Amino acid sequence: MVNDMKSKWYSVKEDNVLNISEQKKYRDVFILDEIGGYGIYAKNFIRELNQIDADVINVHMDSVGGNITDGIAIYNALRGHKSEIHVHINGIAGSIASIIILAGDKIYIPENAGIFLHLPMYAEMDYPNRQDMTEAIEVLGNFERVLTSTYMKHTGKDEDYIRQLLEAETWLFGQEAVDFIGEQAEVVEKIAMVARMKDLEKYPFSASLPSGDGEQDEPEVDNMKDEIKAEATEEVVEASVEATEEVVEVAEEVVDSSSPDHEEAVDAIIDADLEKLAEEEEEEELEEVDAEAEEAEAVLACEKERVSDIIALAEKYAVDASVALQAVKDEVSVGDFKDSLLDVLAKQPASRKIVSSPEGAKASVSELREQLDNATDPKQKYLLAKQIKSLR
């Protein structure tokens, strides 16, 4: 599978992660950009999705939305997959992304993450005439009924309530989003990026959410450790016995020897043993130095990745560079930095209409792009991007 997020809006991890406690295989899937963008369509995503053989698929979502038909196809593919689907909203599930997350058997929403609902829009129209407009209204009405019925099916809310939310272009964060979705959703403090946990001994429940106190029982892991330790001890004992027997045999041969030079022979054996021991100690010291160098390189690589991810988040949410630099200096983790950004965004008041133009005038694409570059509110950025797309 190709998982290049630079040219795709989704990424599928190549390997499963084993949850030792549950004896289940988990696989991580990420949707982190405009759905259906970059010339990559739902069929590409579904092709890779259907190749996954796992007990549970973790879908990590942070998208402002995208193409309606692609989103509906992805929703249906997830609903029909044999695996259990766990959805983690890492930031925003906007527009059609708020439909895709409803395919989850379980939906985890941090307190500072949320969903965005609005009426479907038709951007593919160049110089429409009256008939084009009539047809567009009919198409939009059909999609509106499809989306409304999907929301109703999963949330249990009535049609009038759903339509009010769509017409008001509604943002729902944390507990509000959970209350809207229903029993399949729950609020969490933060999401565990389970596919990046490689040390199964350190993270015995690798693919499951952490408990409230951050600790989990690991009886099976302890048993495995005891078994491995016992086997290793038996091997060491057997090897020690064999080595001792060989030394005794050699010593007996030397002592029993009737040669007058037997003392010199013993000294030669001792010298050889000491030389071999010195060589082994030197090799062990070199191995320790190499291990320390590798560990230092790994630490440096992790630090570079942290700095790069923090800068990327600052650019994504249009945060001043000084904030990112301070986070790097304070050794803030990428997850905590993103949480702090989303906390700020969640507390900002929502505005239904972000971009306004004088009556009879229409902002050019270049003007809108300039506004998009200067925007800091994710809702404002979403609406600006939507307007730019409609003008293209």
Side-chain angles (χ1 to χ4, degrees):
M1 297 180 191
V2 179
N3 296 312
D4 183 7
M5 284 299 297
K6 293 182 180 179
S7 59
K8 297 201 306 187
W9 43 268
Y10 72 90
S11 176
V12 178
K13 288 292 184 180
E14 294 184 356
D15 300 319
N16 291 333
V17 175
L18 176 63
N19 183 314
I20 296 177
S21 173
E22 300 177 2
Q23 287 298 300
K24 289 183 178 181
K25 296 180 292 183
Y26 283 69
R27 183 76 68 88
D28 280 341
V29 174
F30 299 85
I31 300 178
L32 305 178
D33 211 326
E34 180 185 350
I35 298 164
Y38 307 104
I40 307 296
Y41 305 107
K43 64 179 182 181
N44 304 96
F45 176 89
I46 294 171
R47 185 184 301 118
E48 295 191 35
L49 178 71
N50 289 338
Q51 293 175 9
I52 296 177
D53 182 14
D55 300 300
V56 178
I57 296 177
N58 288 320
V59 179
H60 299 271
M61 178 70 73
D62 185 12
S63 172
V64 295
N67 186 281
I68 293 179
T69 54
D70 282 319
I72 292 173
I74 293 170
Y75 162 84
N76 289 329
L78 289 171
R79 292 277 293 171
H81 202 281
K82 63 181 181 180
S83 302
E84 186 176 354
I85 306 298
H86 292 182
V87 174
H88 306 266
I89 303 179
N90 295 348
I92 293 174
S95 190
I96 195 63
S98 67
I99 288 289
I100 294 176
I101 64 167
L102 297 178
D105 298 295
K106 296 181 180 179
I107 303 171
Y108 301 103
I109 308 176
E111 296 173 353
N112 53 8
I115 62 177
F116 175 56
L117 297 80
H118 68 89
L119 292 171
M121 293 171 292
Y122 197 21
E124 305 299 326
M125 295 186 70
D126 294 323
Y127 304 105
N129 56 34
R130 178 174 54 80
Q131 184 175 352
D132 294 330
M133 297 294 289
T134 302
E135 293 176 355
I137 291 173
E138 182 179 356
V139 171
L140 289 172
N142 290 334
F143 278 125
E144 184 177 338
R145 284 188 289 274
V146 169
L147 300 183
T148 300
S149 63
T150 304
Y151 287 125
M152 292 171 60
K153 174 182 177 181
H154 289 277
T155 67
K157 305 295 190 297
D158 60 48
E159 182 176 354
D160 289 339
Y161 178 74
I162 298 296
R163 289 189 181 278
Q164 288 177 12
L165 296 181
L166 294 174
E167 292 172 359
E169 298 187 347
T170 304
W171 292 83
L172 299 172
F173 285 92
Q175 189 61 51
E176 289 181 335
V178 169
D179 293 340
F180 170 70
I181 294 172
E183 61 182 11
Q184 71 198 90
E186 66 176 273
V187 173
V188 294
E189 291 186 0
K190 59 182 179 180
I191 298 297
M193 302 296 284
V194 297
R196 296 182 182 177
M197 296 181 180
K198 299 299 183 183
D199 187 350
L200 295 182
E201 186 174 293
K202 183 176 181 182
Y203 301 99
F205 298 130
S206 57
S208 60
L209 288 173
S211 61
D213 57 4
E215 298 180 356
Q216 303 187 43
D217 297 329
E218 38 185 83
E220 297 185 23
V221 175
D222 289 338
N223 292 337
M224 291 172 63
K225 288 181 181 177
D226 292 339
E227 293 175 2
I228 294 171
K229 189 180 296 182
E231 293 176 359
T233 303
E234 292 175 359
E235 293 177 358
V236 171
V237 171
E238 292 174 358
S240 299
V241 171
E242 292 175 358
T244 303
E245 291 175 350
E246 292 177 0
V247 172
V248 171
E249 291 175 359
V250 172
E252 289 175 348
E253 291 176 1
V254 172
V255 172
D256 293 340
S257 175
S258 59
S259 170
D261 298 327
H262 69 277
E263 291 184 0
E264 295 181 1
V266 171
D267 291 340
I269 292 174
I270 294 174
D271 291 341
D273 288 341
L274 290 174
E275 183 179 352
K276 183 177 180 181
L277 180 61
E279 291 176 354
E280 291 176 350
E281 290 178 349
E282 183 178 357
E283 290 178 358
E284 290 177 357
E285 291 177 356
L286 291 175
E287 290 175 356
E288 290 178 359
V289 171
D290 291 340
E292 290 175 356
E294 291 177 359
E295 183 177 355
E297 290 178 359
V299 171
L300 181 60
C302 289
E303 178 62 14
K304 287 182 177 179
E305 183 179 2
R306 182 182 74 89
V307 172
S308 176
D309 289 347
I310 286 177
I311 293 174
L313 281 172
E315 293 176 352
K316 177 178 179 180
Y317 292 101
V319 175
D320 190 88
S322 62
V323 177
L325 293 176
Q326 188 61 42
V328 171
K329 181 179 178 181
D330 295 341
E331 298 184 353
V332 177
S333 70
V334 175
D336 289 343
F337 183 67
K338 183 172 182 179
D339 286 345
S340 65
L341 294 180
L342 291 174
D343 277 332
V344 173
L345 295 176
K347 294 175 182 177
Q348 292 180 352
S351 174
R352 178 179 179 184
K353 293 192 175 180
I354 307 300
V355 180
S356 61
S357 301
E359 184 176 358
K362 190 174 185 180
S364 66
V365 172
S366 60
E367 291 173 339
L368 291 174
R369 287 190 184 280
E370 183 177 356
Q371 293 182 43
L372 181 61
D373 292 338
N374 296 326
T376 58
D377 187 331
K379 293 172 283 188
Q380 182 179 7
K381 293 177 68 177
Y382 166 79
L383 296 175
L384 287 167
K386 183 172 66 176
Q387 189 168 354
I388 291 172
K389 183 177 180 180
S390 68
L391 293 174
R392 286 191 305 208

